[in-house]
Amino acid sequence: MSEKLERQTAGAGGLELGIAQLKRLGRLRASGLIWVLLIMCAIAALVSEAFLNPFNIINVLRQIALFGIVSIGMTFVILTAGIDLSVGSIVAVVAVTAAMLLDDGLPIPLVIIAGLLIGALMGAGNGAGITLGGIPPFIMTLGTMVMGRGLAMTISDGHPIHFRGAADQFAWLGQGHLLGLPVPVWVFAAVAALAAGVLRFTPFGRNIYAVGSNPEAARLAGIDVRLTIFLVYLISGFLSGLTALIFISRLTVGEPVAGVGLELEAIAITVIGGTSLFGGEGRISGTILGAAIVAVLANILNLFGVSPFTQQIVKGAIIVAAVLFEIIRRRKYSAP
């Protein structure tokens, strides 16, 4: 018994020290990202007068919010050394289902609750398959991605679902403004603040970092590793559902192809923001900056008329470069 207690104490002490070191590295990377963002904005303002147009700035902020919300969910998942490839399909399922319910005349508050529950349940399905079934996160979420896209197509019969009767009342969530800023920006700010608070000040947040840093040491320290992993996938699904509701509110239509490639955007934003794909390292502030960098980059490329297909090449290259940088940095960090 005493030997086990010693292992738990040593594991917990080493874990806390490692997490503290990773958090300090995260703060340094966040400060570097701020400079990257400022330089990108300065270059964009110099080469294109349209960049500083108020309408363009509002559009960039809206893009940051839309992609940022789902990226916060991805941050929770990647902090545990997991991955969620199903976020785009969850968005599609929630989008067509919510649009169908709105078209049938269901009250808007109930539609919002239903959409969030569907997203959370699909995320919980991922978490259950990974923790109880022992399925690797990549395979589990890949399967959910394929099944979810098929489900969205089945529900909608492959066609967009319009909800014209409730469009005006529901539009405020995606198209409205509050104090001069789009409502999605305020929603993103609230989600980011809550997520940052959870990760920094709650035992659950510390458990996430611990599980991502060293699952075995976390288990020896008394952390329920399975429950922690299950909950991060539930959170990811919930925030994907929220993203879907904002999408359909803005477009007034639920499309079965909604969210195609969204997992790429979310992973790119999360990795660029400094969250390690190896787990245990990352901050919500970094994800916010990552969303801003990706949105500004996409806006610059759009202003210069770069093809969306070419933009995918750029984003893919950024992900590879970010992971390569992380591997090199970890080798230096672990070198004797």
Side-chain angles (χ1 to χ4, degrees):
M1 179 66 72
S2 60
E3 184 180 348
K4 180 179 180 181
L5 183 61
E6 288 177 3
R7 287 202 310 269
Q8 290 179 338
T9 304
L15 202 58
E16 289 178 0
L17 180 61
I19 291 172
Q21 291 173 334
L22 290 175
K23 285 184 176 180
R24 284 195 294 270
L25 287 171
R27 285 192 288 269
L28 290 173
R29 293 185 69 174
S31 62
L33 289 173
I34 292 174
W35 283 107
V36 170
L37 179 61
L38 291 175
I39 291 171
M40 287 179 62
C41 290
I43 293 173
L46 288 173
V47 299
S48 175
E49 295 180 358
F51 180 78
L52 293 179
N53 184 289
F55 178 81
N56 186 62
I57 296 297
I58 292 295
N59 183 53
V60 171
L61 289 174
R62 186 178 283 111
Q63 290 296 109
I64 292 172
L66 288 173
F67 292 121
I69 292 172
V70 72
S71 298
I72 288 175
M74 187 68 75
T75 301
F76 274 79
V77 169
I78 292 181
L79 280 173
T80 63
I83 197 75
D84 191 351
L85 301 177
S86 67
V87 293
S89 293
I90 293 176
V91 166
V93 172
V94 174
V96 296
T97 304
M100 183 178 64
L101 294 175
L102 286 167
D103 192 47
D104 289 341
L106 198 71
I108 290 175
L110 292 181
V111 172
I112 292 175
I113 293 172
L116 295 176
L117 282 175
I118 291 170
L121 286 172
M122 293 184 71
N126 282 331
I130 293 165
T131 57
L132 300 179
I135 303 172
F138 181 88
I139 300 300
M140 183 66 219
T141 59
L142 178 63
T144 303
M145 178 183 76
V146 176
M147 290 187 292
R149 190 64 61 182
L151 180 59
M153 289 290 183
T154 301
I155 293 172
S156 65
D157 197 26
H159 301 292
I161 299 177
H162 297 270
F163 50 96
R164 295 182 180 86
D168 292 339
Q169 297 90 336
F170 192 61
W172 184 80
L173 180 62
Q175 302 179 29
H177 287 75
L178 182 64
L179 300 179
L181 291 176
V183 171
V185 174
W186 292 106
V187 175
F188 174 50
V191 170
L194 180 60
V198 167
L199 288 178
R200 186 169 183 180
F201 299 114
T202 69
F204 175 59
R206 291 190 289 273
N207 290 350
I208 290 174
Y209 282 105
V211 170
S213 297
N214 190 325
E216 181 59 21
R219 186 186 65 80
L220 291 174
I223 295 172
D224 192 331
V225 175
R226 285 186 174 183
L227 179 60
T228 301
I229 293 174
F230 173 82
L231 289 176
V232 297
Y233 283 94
L234 186 149
I235 290 170
S236 180
F238 178 88
L239 293 179
S240 297
L242 177 58
T243 301
L245 293 172
I246 296 174
F247 270 148
I248 67 169
S249 174
R250 177 163 172 74
L251 302 174
T252 67
V253 62
E255 298 190 71
V257 294
V260 170
L262 186 58
E263 58 282 341
L264 171 65
E265 299 282 354
I267 294 170
I269 287 169
T270 305
V271 173
I272 291 169
T275 301
S276 172
L277 284 172
F278 300 98
E281 180 183 352
R283 296 161 62 90
I284 296 300
S285 59
T287 300
I288 296 171
L289 290 170
I293 289 171
V294 169
V296 169
L297 175 62
N299 187 254
I300 292 171
L301 295 175
N302 285 332
L303 290 175
F304 281 94
V306 177
S307 164
F309 307 114
T310 305
Q311 293 184 31
Q312 294 298 314
I313 297 174
V314 174
K315 290 173 184 176
I318 289 174
I319 293 176
V320 172
V323 174
L324 180 61
F325 172 80
E326 177 66 16
I327 292 172
I328 294 172
R329 188 184 65 81
R330 280 181 169 259
R331 285 175 180 170
K332 289 184 179 180
Y333 181 71
S334 59

